[in-house]
mmCIF file of all heavy atoms in Angstrom:
data_model
loop_
_atom_site.group_PDB
_atom_site.id
_atom_site.type_symbol
_atom_site.label_atom_id
_atom_site.label_comp_id
_atom_site.label_asym_id
_atom_site.label_seq_id
_atom_site.Cartn_x
_atom_site.Cartn_y
_atom_site.Cartn_z
ATOM 1 N N LEU S 113 -14.050 20.744 7.387
ATOM 2 C CA LEU S 113 -14.473 19.489 6.770
ATOM 3 C C LEU S 113 -13.854 19.138 5.513
ATOM 4 O O LEU S 113 -13.867 19.961 4.548
ATOM 5 C CB LEU S 113 -16.040 19.625 6.569
ATOM 6 C CG LEU S 113 -16.723 18.478 5.816
ATOM 7 C CD1 LEU S 113 -17.166 17.439 6.857
ATOM 8 C CD2 LEU S 113 -17.883 18.954 5.073
ATOM 9 N N GLY S 114 -13.212 17.991 5.421
ATOM 10 C CA GLY S 114 -12.728 17.480 4.121
ATOM 11 C C GLY S 114 -11.376 18.061 3.607
ATOM 12 O O GLY S 114 -10.957 17.722 2.546
ATOM 13 N N VAL S 115 -10.752 18.885 4.427
ATOM 14 C CA VAL S 115 -9.528 19.571 3.896
ATOM 15 C C VAL S 115 -8.484 18.541 3.451
ATOM 16 O O VAL S 115 -7.780 18.666 2.369
ATOM 17 C CB VAL S 115 -8.871 20.548 4.915
ATOM 18 C CG1 VAL S 115 -8.495 19.870 6.223
ATOM 19 C CG2 VAL S 115 -7.692 21.252 4.333
ATOM 20 N N SER S 116 -8.317 17.417 4.188
ATOM 21 C CA SER S 116 -7.352 16.405 3.830
ATOM 22 C C SER S 116 -7.613 15.745 2.522
ATOM 23 O O SER S 116 -6.754 15.482 1.693
ATOM 24 C CB SER S 116 -7.290 15.356 4.907
ATOM 25 O OG SER S 116 -7.061 15.878 6.217
ATOM 26 N N TYR S 117 -8.908 15.506 2.241
ATOM 27 C CA TYR S 117 -9.337 14.788 1.082
ATOM 28 C C TYR S 117 -9.337 15.694 -0.131
ATOM 29 O O TYR S 117 -9.016 15.327 -1.223
ATOM 30 C CB TYR S 117 -10.662 14.150 1.259
ATOM 31 C CG TYR S 117 -10.561 12.899 2.196
ATOM 32 C CD1 TYR S 117 -10.701 12.977 3.524
ATOM 33 C CD2 TYR S 117 -10.254 11.609 1.556
ATOM 34 C CE1 TYR S 117 -10.542 11.875 4.370
ATOM 35 C CE2 TYR S 117 -10.022 10.484 2.362
ATOM 36 C CZ TYR S 117 -10.164 10.630 3.743
ATOM 37 O OH TYR S 117 -10.003 9.538 4.516
ATOM 38 N N LEU S 118 -9.758 16.970 0.092
ATOM 39 C CA LEU S 118 -9.749 17.937 -1.028
ATOM 40 C C LEU S 118 -8.332 18.152 -1.502
ATOM 41 O O LEU S 118 -8.092 18.376 -2.693
ATOM 42 C CB LEU S 118 -10.369 19.273 -0.544
ATOM 43 C CG LEU S 118 -11.778 19.286 -0.182
ATOM 44 C CD1 LEU S 118 -12.248 20.660 0.307
ATOM 45 C CD2 LEU S 118 -12.668 18.836 -1.364
ATOM 46 N N THR S 119 -7.378 18.163 -0.557
ATOM 47 C CA THR S 119 -5.987 18.365 -0.971
ATOM 48 C C THR S 119 -5.505 17.309 -1.942
ATOM 49 O O THR S 119 -4.742 17.679 -2.924
ATOM 50 C CB THR S 119 -5.087 18.417 0.289
ATOM 51 O OG1 THR S 119 -5.556 19.486 1.106
ATOM 52 C CG2 THR S 119 -3.646 18.646 -0.042
ATOM 53 N N PHE S 120 -5.849 16.064 -1.716
ATOM 54 C CA PHE S 120 -5.417 15.016 -2.628
ATOM 55 C C PHE S 120 -5.864 15.365 -4.073
ATOM 56 O O PHE S 120 -5.125 15.165 -5.076
ATOM 57 C CB PHE S 120 -6.067 13.684 -2.364
ATOM 58 C CG PHE S 120 -5.412 12.996 -1.167
ATOM 59 C CD1 PHE S 120 -6.088 12.711 -0.004
ATOM 60 C CD2 PHE S 120 -4.072 12.684 -1.181
ATOM 61 C CE1 PHE S 120 -5.454 12.083 1.058
ATOM 62 C CE2 PHE S 120 -3.425 12.081 -0.155
ATOM 63 C CZ PHE S 120 -4.114 11.777 1.016
ATOM 64 N N ARG S 121 -7.128 15.752 -4.233
ATOM 65 C CA ARG S 121 -7.675 16.024 -5.578
ATOM 66 C C ARG S 121 -6.913 17.222 -6.209
ATOM 67 O O ARG S 121 -6.582 17.257 -7.337
ATOM 68 C CB ARG S 121 -9.141 16.292 -5.518
ATOM 69 C CG ARG S 121 -9.856 15.082 -5.053
ATOM 70 C CD ARG S 121 -11.382 15.328 -4.937
ATOM 71 N NE ARG S 121 -11.928 14.529 -3.898
ATOM 72 C CZ ARG S 121 -13.039 14.765 -3.272
ATOM 73 N NH1 ARG S 121 -13.765 15.811 -3.518
ATOM 74 N NH2 ARG S 121 -13.476 13.949 -2.296
ATOM 75 N N ALA S 122 -6.697 18.283 -5.360
ATOM 76 C CA ALA S 122 -6.101 19.483 -5.845
ATOM 77 C C ALA S 122 -4.581 19.141 -6.341
ATOM 78 O O ALA S 122 -4.171 19.573 -7.373
ATOM 79 C CB ALA S 122 -6.042 20.537 -4.763
ATOM 80 N N VAL S 123 -3.915 18.363 -5.558
ATOM 81 C CA VAL S 123 -2.525 18.004 -5.819
ATOM 82 C C VAL S 123 -2.490 17.199 -7.140
ATOM 83 O O VAL S 123 -1.651 17.370 -7.987
ATOM 84 C CB VAL S 123 -1.807 17.347 -4.685
ATOM 85 C CG1 VAL S 123 -0.485 16.785 -5.084
ATOM 86 C CG2 VAL S 123 -1.659 18.279 -3.557
ATOM 87 N N GLN S 124 -3.383 16.215 -7.215
ATOM 88 C CA GLN S 124 -3.450 15.337 -8.419
ATOM 89 C C GLN S 124 -3.546 16.197 -9.695
ATOM 90 O O GLN S 124 -2.845 16.024 -10.661
ATOM 91 C CB GLN S 124 -4.596 14.382 -8.327
ATOM 92 C CG GLN S 124 -4.780 13.529 -9.609
ATOM 93 C CD GLN S 124 -6.041 13.947 -10.361
ATOM 94 O OE1 GLN S 124 -7.175 13.919 -9.821
ATOM 95 N NE2 GLN S 124 -5.911 14.234 -11.630
ATOM 96 N N VAL S 125 -4.438 17.233 -9.643
ATOM 97 C CA VAL S 125 -4.604 18.049 -10.864
ATOM 98 C C VAL S 125 -3.340 18.860 -11.180
ATOM 99 O O VAL S 125 -2.826 18.862 -12.319
ATOM 100 C CB VAL S 125 -5.820 19.014 -10.705
ATOM 101 C CG1 VAL S 125 -5.879 20.063 -11.823
ATOM 102 C CG2 VAL S 125 -7.134 18.251 -10.587
ATOM 103 N N ILE S 126 -2.728 19.347 -10.128
ATOM 104 C CA ILE S 126 -1.452 20.202 -10.298
ATOM 105 C C ILE S 126 -0.386 19.273 -10.977
ATOM 106 O O ILE S 126 0.306 19.672 -11.890
ATOM 107 C CB ILE S 126 -0.980 20.773 -8.981
ATOM 108 C CG1 ILE S 126 -1.967 21.840 -8.478
ATOM 109 C CG2 ILE S 126 0.430 21.357 -9.054
ATOM 110 C CD1 ILE S 126 -2.077 23.058 -9.310
ATOM 111 N N LEU S 127 -0.156 18.077 -10.387
ATOM 112 C CA LEU S 127 0.878 17.174 -10.898
ATOM 113 C C LEU S 127 0.642 16.790 -12.295
ATOM 114 O O LEU S 127 1.568 16.667 -13.103
ATOM 115 C CB LEU S 127 1.064 16.002 -9.933
ATOM 116 C CG LEU S 127 1.606 16.276 -8.584
ATOM 117 C CD1 LEU S 127 1.751 15.000 -7.722
ATOM 118 C CD2 LEU S 127 2.937 17.047 -8.600
ATOM 119 N N GLU S 128 -0.653 16.506 -12.643
ATOM 120 C CA GLU S 128 -0.855 15.994 -13.937
ATOM 121 C C GLU S 128 -0.886 17.151 -14.991
ATOM 122 O O GLU S 128 -0.687 16.913 -16.213
ATOM 123 C CB GLU S 128 -2.306 15.238 -13.978
ATOM 124 C CG GLU S 128 -2.090 13.907 -13.194
ATOM 125 C CD GLU S 128 -3.176 12.859 -13.445
ATOM 126 O OE1 GLU S 128 -4.219 13.251 -14.041
ATOM 127 O OE2 GLU S 128 -2.980 11.763 -13.014
ATOM 128 N N ILE S 129 -1.065 18.386 -14.526
ATOM 129 C CA ILE S 129 -0.863 19.588 -15.433
ATOM 130 C C ILE S 129 0.673 19.563 -15.733
ATOM 131 O O ILE S 129 1.117 19.749 -16.827
ATOM 132 C CB ILE S 129 -1.286 20.867 -14.812
ATOM 133 C CG1 ILE S 129 -2.876 20.862 -14.808
ATOM 134 C CG2 ILE S 129 -0.808 22.092 -15.591
ATOM 135 C CD1 ILE S 129 -3.453 22.117 -14.076
ATOM 136 N N SER S 130 1.477 19.401 -14.634
ATOM 137 C CA SER S 130 2.943 19.419 -14.781
ATOM 138 C C SER S 130 3.406 18.350 -15.781
ATOM 139 O O SER S 130 4.290 18.566 -16.567
ATOM 140 C CB SER S 130 3.630 19.078 -13.448
ATOM 141 O OG SER S 130 3.361 20.141 -12.547
ATOM 142 N N ASP S 131 2.703 17.202 -15.680
ATOM 143 C CA ASP S 131 3.107 16.068 -16.598
ATOM 144 C C ASP S 131 2.609 16.197 -18.000
ATOM 145 O O ASP S 131 2.860 15.397 -18.846
ATOM 146 C CB ASP S 131 2.552 14.721 -16.025
ATOM 147 C CG ASP S 131 3.214 14.272 -14.748
ATOM 148 O OD1 ASP S 131 4.294 14.821 -14.517
ATOM 149 O OD2 ASP S 131 2.664 13.435 -14.050
ATOM 150 N N GLY S 132 1.788 17.200 -18.229
ATOM 151 C CA GLY S 132 1.235 17.436 -19.557
ATOM 152 C C GLY S 132 -0.001 16.526 -19.847
ATOM 153 O O GLY S 132 -0.408 16.372 -20.958
ATOM 154 N N LEU S 133 -0.472 15.882 -18.791
ATOM 155 C CA LEU S 133 -1.623 14.997 -18.970
ATOM 156 C C LEU S 133 -2.939 15.747 -18.972
ATOM 157 O O LEU S 133 -3.911 15.280 -19.547
ATOM 158 C CB LEU S 133 -1.637 13.916 -17.867
ATOM 159 C CG LEU S 133 -0.426 12.988 -17.809
ATOM 160 C CD1 LEU S 133 -0.497 12.018 -16.678
ATOM 161 C CD2 LEU S 133 -0.339 12.177 -19.121
ATOM 162 N N ILE S 134 -3.001 16.871 -18.233
ATOM 163 C CA ILE S 134 -4.156 17.702 -18.273
ATOM 164 C C ILE S 134 -3.802 18.977 -19.065
ATOM 165 O O ILE S 134 -2.949 19.713 -18.667
ATOM 166 C CB ILE S 134 -4.617 18.078 -16.839
ATOM 167 C CG1 ILE S 134 -5.061 16.840 -16.122
ATOM 168 C CG2 ILE S 134 -5.731 19.097 -16.896
ATOM 169 C CD1 ILE S 134 -5.408 17.047 -14.652
ATOM 170 N N LYS S 135 -4.481 19.150 -20.219
ATOM 171 C CA LYS S 135 -4.142 20.293 -21.070
ATOM 172 C C LYS S 135 -5.239 21.383 -20.986
ATOM 173 O O LYS S 135 -4.995 22.552 -21.389
ATOM 174 C CB LYS S 135 -3.989 19.832 -22.456
ATOM 175 C CG LYS S 135 -2.763 18.963 -22.581
ATOM 176 C CD LYS S 135 -2.434 18.605 -24.018
ATOM 177 C CE LYS S 135 -1.135 17.762 -24.156
ATOM 178 N NZ LYS S 135 -1.266 16.420 -23.610
ATOM 179 N N GLU S 136 -6.378 21.031 -20.530
ATOM 180 C CA GLU S 136 -7.452 22.043 -20.287
ATOM 181 C C GLU S 136 -8.305 21.579 -19.087
ATOM 182 O O GLU S 136 -8.460 20.436 -18.794
ATOM 183 C CB GLU S 136 -8.309 22.261 -21.544
ATOM 184 C CG GLU S 136 -8.907 20.915 -22.046
ATOM 185 C CD GLU S 136 -9.868 21.118 -23.186
ATOM 186 O OE1 GLU S 136 -10.098 22.279 -23.586
ATOM 187 O OE2 GLU S 136 -10.254 20.111 -23.703
ATOM 188 N N MET S 137 -8.877 22.586 -18.406
ATOM 189 C CA MET S 137 -9.635 22.326 -17.232
ATOM 190 C C MET S 137 -10.745 23.374 -17.128
ATOM 191 O O MET S 137 -10.493 24.414 -16.575
ATOM 192 C CB MET S 137 -8.714 22.329 -16.041
ATOM 193 C CG MET S 137 -9.347 21.737 -14.753
ATOM 194 S SD MET S 137 -9.166 19.952 -14.719
ATOM 195 C CE MET S 137 -10.635 19.503 -13.820
ATOM 196 N N PRO S 138 -11.990 23.052 -17.692
ATOM 197 C CA PRO S 138 -13.053 23.991 -17.537
ATOM 198 C C PRO S 138 -13.310 24.301 -16.063
ATOM 199 O O PRO S 138 -13.287 23.402 -15.209
ATOM 200 C CB PRO S 138 -14.272 23.297 -18.188
ATOM 201 C CG PRO S 138 -13.620 22.237 -19.050
ATOM 202 C CD PRO S 138 -12.403 21.845 -18.406
ATOM 203 N N SER S 139 -13.534 25.560 -15.795
ATOM 204 C CA SER S 139 -13.702 26.064 -14.422
ATOM 205 C C SER S 139 -14.726 25.247 -13.648
ATOM 206 O O SER S 139 -14.476 24.768 -12.534
ATOM 207 C CB SER S 139 -14.008 27.575 -14.365
ATOM 208 O OG SER S 139 -13.047 28.258 -15.016
ATOM 209 N N TRP S 140 -15.921 25.099 -14.177
ATOM 210 C CA TRP S 140 -17.022 24.495 -13.478
ATOM 211 C C TRP S 140 -16.683 23.014 -13.237
ATOM 212 O O TRP S 140 -17.005 22.501 -12.157
ATOM 213 C CB TRP S 140 -18.375 24.659 -14.173
ATOM 214 C CG TRP S 140 -18.661 23.734 -15.291
ATOM 215 C CD1 TRP S 140 -18.319 23.884 -16.552
ATOM 216 C CD2 TRP S 140 -19.329 22.471 -15.238
ATOM 217 N NE1 TRP S 140 -18.680 22.892 -17.326
ATOM 218 C CE2 TRP S 140 -19.324 21.929 -16.573
ATOM 219 C CE3 TRP S 140 -19.884 21.717 -14.246
ATOM 220 C CZ2 TRP S 140 -19.903 20.725 -16.868
ATOM 221 C CZ3 TRP S 140 -20.471 20.460 -14.544
ATOM 222 C CH2 TRP S 140 -20.453 19.980 -15.833
ATOM 223 N N GLU S 141 -16.018 22.336 -14.247
ATOM 224 C CA GLU S 141 -15.632 20.980 -14.038
ATOM 225 C C GLU S 141 -14.666 20.827 -12.876
ATOM 226 O O GLU S 141 -14.755 19.903 -12.042
ATOM 227 C CB GLU S 141 -14.988 20.450 -15.334
ATOM 228 C CG GLU S 141 -15.948 19.596 -16.197
ATOM 229 C CD GLU S 141 -15.280 18.969 -17.377
ATOM 230 O OE1 GLU S 141 -14.144 18.390 -17.323
ATOM 231 O OE2 GLU S 141 -15.827 19.168 -18.505
ATOM 232 N N TYR S 142 -13.739 21.660 -12.839
ATOM 233 C CA TYR S 142 -12.722 21.690 -11.751
ATOM 234 C C TYR S 142 -13.382 21.827 -10.373
ATOM 235 O O TYR S 142 -13.103 21.022 -9.478
ATOM 236 C CB TYR S 142 -11.667 22.756 -11.954
ATOM 237 C CG TYR S 142 -10.643 22.839 -10.864
ATOM 238 C CD1 TYR S 142 -9.620 21.850 -10.773
ATOM 239 C CD2 TYR S 142 -10.795 23.756 -9.801
ATOM 240 C CE1 TYR S 142 -8.640 21.885 -9.736
ATOM 241 C CE2 TYR S 142 -9.768 23.798 -8.843
ATOM 242 C CZ TYR S 142 -8.726 22.837 -8.766
ATOM 243 O OH TYR S 142 -7.811 22.849 -7.766
ATOM 244 N N LEU S 143 -14.247 22.810 -10.289
ATOM 245 C CA LEU S 143 -14.854 23.149 -9.023
ATOM 246 C C LEU S 143 -15.776 21.972 -8.629
ATOM 247 O O LEU S 143 -15.834 21.563 -7.455
ATOM 248 C CB LEU S 143 -15.673 24.407 -9.076
ATOM 249 C CG LEU S 143 -14.776 25.665 -9.273
ATOM 250 C CD1 LEU S 143 -15.628 26.899 -9.476
ATOM 251 C CD2 LEU S 143 -13.903 25.884 -7.989
ATOM 252 N N TYR S 144 -16.518 21.417 -9.564
ATOM 253 C CA TYR S 144 -17.417 20.313 -9.272
ATOM 254 C C TYR S 144 -16.587 19.124 -8.821
ATOM 255 O O TYR S 144 -16.908 18.410 -7.854
ATOM 256 C CB TYR S 144 -18.196 19.983 -10.533
ATOM 257 C CG TYR S 144 -19.267 18.939 -10.422
ATOM 258 C CD1 TYR S 144 -19.977 18.700 -9.217
ATOM 259 C CD2 TYR S 144 -19.708 18.145 -11.522
ATOM 260 C CE1 TYR S 144 -20.959 17.776 -9.153
ATOM 261 C CE2 TYR S 144 -20.718 17.210 -11.427
ATOM 262 C CZ TYR S 144 -21.313 16.999 -10.178
ATOM 263 O OH TYR S 144 -22.313 16.082 -10.097
ATOM 264 N N PHE S 145 -15.513 18.807 -9.525
ATOM 265 C CA PHE S 145 -14.638 17.661 -9.203
ATOM 266 C C PHE S 145 -14.042 17.824 -7.796
ATOM 267 O O PHE S 145 -14.115 16.973 -6.909
ATOM 268 C CB PHE S 145 -13.537 17.488 -10.219
ATOM 269 C CG PHE S 145 -12.373 16.669 -9.721
ATOM 270 C CD1 PHE S 145 -12.506 15.250 -9.542
ATOM 271 C CD2 PHE S 145 -11.152 17.217 -9.399
ATOM 272 C CE1 PHE S 145 -11.450 14.485 -9.146
ATOM 273 C CE2 PHE S 145 -10.078 16.428 -8.944
ATOM 274 C CZ PHE S 145 -10.275 15.080 -8.786
ATOM 275 N N LEU S 146 -13.487 19.030 -7.576
ATOM 276 C CA LEU S 146 -12.775 19.266 -6.272
ATOM 277 C C LEU S 146 -13.712 19.140 -5.118
ATOM 278 O O LEU S 146 -13.364 18.631 -4.056
ATOM 279 C CB LEU S 146 -12.203 20.659 -6.266
ATOM 280 C CG LEU S 146 -11.278 21.050 -5.131
ATOM 281 C CD1 LEU S 146 -10.001 20.190 -5.136
ATOM 282 C CD2 LEU S 146 -10.899 22.516 -5.141
ATOM 283 N N THR S 147 -14.979 19.605 -5.235
ATOM 284 C CA THR S 147 -15.867 19.732 -4.073
ATOM 285 C C THR S 147 -17.070 18.802 -4.226
ATOM 286 O O THR S 147 -18.041 18.969 -3.505
ATOM 287 C CB THR S 147 -16.387 21.164 -3.952
ATOM 288 O OG1 THR S 147 -17.195 21.471 -5.073
ATOM 289 C CG2 THR S 147 -15.271 22.146 -3.820
ATOM 290 N N PHE S 148 -16.950 17.762 -5.058
ATOM 291 C CA PHE S 148 -18.055 16.778 -5.225
ATOM 292 C C PHE S 148 -18.618 16.315 -3.886
ATOM 293 O O PHE S 148 -17.893 15.676 -3.104
ATOM 294 C CB PHE S 148 -17.570 15.634 -6.105
ATOM 295 C CG PHE S 148 -18.622 14.687 -6.528
ATOM 296 C CD1 PHE S 148 -19.759 15.060 -7.132
ATOM 297 C CD2 PHE S 148 -18.515 13.273 -6.270
ATOM 298 C CE1 PHE S 148 -20.759 14.176 -7.578
ATOM 299 C CE2 PHE S 148 -19.482 12.404 -6.665
ATOM 300 C CZ PHE S 148 -20.572 12.867 -7.271
ATOM 301 N N PHE S 149 -19.812 16.668 -3.574
ATOM 302 C CA PHE S 149 -20.261 16.611 -2.144
ATOM 303 C C PHE S 149 -20.410 15.186 -1.530
ATOM 304 O O PHE S 149 -20.199 15.016 -0.343
ATOM 305 C CB PHE S 149 -21.523 17.487 -1.910
ATOM 306 C CG PHE S 149 -22.794 16.716 -2.018
ATOM 307 C CD1 PHE S 149 -23.467 16.455 -0.810
ATOM 308 C CD2 PHE S 149 -23.325 16.426 -3.154
ATOM 309 C CE1 PHE S 149 -24.681 15.741 -0.849
ATOM 310 C CE2 PHE S 149 -24.526 15.772 -3.258
ATOM 311 C CZ PHE S 149 -25.252 15.407 -2.093
ATOM 312 N N PRO S 150 -20.795 14.132 -2.381
ATOM 313 C CA PRO S 150 -20.829 12.870 -1.632
ATOM 314 C C PRO S 150 -19.522 12.392 -1.085
ATOM 315 O O PRO S 150 -19.498 11.702 -0.021
ATOM 316 C CB PRO S 150 -21.268 11.875 -2.784
ATOM 317 C CG PRO S 150 -21.912 12.764 -3.802
ATOM 318 C CD PRO S 150 -21.226 14.071 -3.746
ATOM 319 N N SER S 151 -18.407 12.792 -1.717
ATOM 320 C CA SER S 151 -17.061 12.315 -1.250
ATOM 321 C C SER S 151 -16.302 13.431 -0.600
ATOM 322 O O SER S 151 -15.041 13.333 -0.362
ATOM 323 C CB SER S 151 -16.341 11.649 -2.386
ATOM 324 O OG SER S 151 -16.189 12.505 -3.489
ATOM 325 N N VAL S 152 -16.917 14.560 -0.301
ATOM 326 C CA VAL S 152 -16.141 15.719 0.177
ATOM 327 C C VAL S 152 -15.593 15.458 1.554
ATOM 328 O O VAL S 152 -14.488 15.849 1.850
ATOM 329 C CB VAL S 152 -17.000 17.043 0.168
ATOM 330 C CG1 VAL S 152 -18.009 17.139 1.255
ATOM 331 C CG2 VAL S 152 -16.076 18.257 0.137
ATOM 332 N N ALA S 153 -16.309 14.780 2.394
ATOM 333 C CA ALA S 153 -15.860 14.687 3.870
ATOM 334 C C ALA S 153 -14.724 13.699 3.976
ATOM 335 O O ALA S 153 -13.718 14.043 4.657
ATOM 336 C CB ALA S 153 -17.056 14.256 4.683
ATOM 337 N N SER S 154 -14.845 12.502 3.470
ATOM 338 C CA SER S 154 -13.796 11.484 3.639
ATOM 339 C C SER S 154 -13.603 10.524 2.427
ATOM 340 O O SER S 154 -13.306 9.392 2.527
ATOM 341 C CB SER S 154 -14.219 10.598 4.840
ATOM 342 O OG SER S 154 -14.540 11.346 5.937
ATOM 343 N N GLY S 155 -13.721 11.152 1.173
ATOM 344 C CA GLY S 155 -13.465 10.288 0.026
ATOM 345 C C GLY S 155 -14.571 9.461 -0.371
ATOM 346 O O GLY S 155 -15.687 9.693 0.124
ATOM 347 N N PRO S 156 -14.461 8.478 -1.217
ATOM 348 C CA PRO S 156 -13.235 8.106 -1.966
ATOM 349 C C PRO S 156 -12.586 9.194 -2.764
ATOM 350 O O PRO S 156 -13.239 10.128 -3.181
ATOM 351 C CB PRO S 156 -13.704 6.939 -2.865
ATOM 352 C CG PRO S 156 -14.974 6.476 -2.286
ATOM 353 C CD PRO S 156 -15.608 7.703 -1.630
ATOM 354 N N ILE S 157 -11.271 9.089 -3.028
ATOM 355 C CA ILE S 157 -10.503 10.048 -3.716
ATOM 356 C C ILE S 157 -10.561 9.727 -5.259
ATOM 357 O O ILE S 157 -9.946 8.739 -5.674
ATOM 358 C CB ILE S 157 -9.049 10.090 -3.242
ATOM 359 C CG1 ILE S 157 -9.035 10.284 -1.738
ATOM 360 C CG2 ILE S 157 -8.271 11.211 -3.949
ATOM 361 C CD1 ILE S 157 -7.770 9.789 -1.101
#
Side-chain angles (χ1 to χ4, degrees):
Chain S
L113 175 89
V115 60
S116 305
Y117 286 90
L118 294 178
T119 300
F120 284 121
R121 295 179 211 158
V123 171
Q124 175 250 305
V125 172
I126 292 295
L127 293 180
E128 293 196 347
I129 289 174
S130 298
D131 290 344
L133 298 174
I134 296 175
K135 294 187 176 67
E136 55 176 355
M137 193 81 213
S139 301
W140 80 273
E141 260 184 48
Y142 178 77
L143 294 172
Y144 186 27
F145 164 70
L146 187 66
T147 65
F148 186 53
F149 95 105
S151 56
V152 77
S154 308
I157 305 155

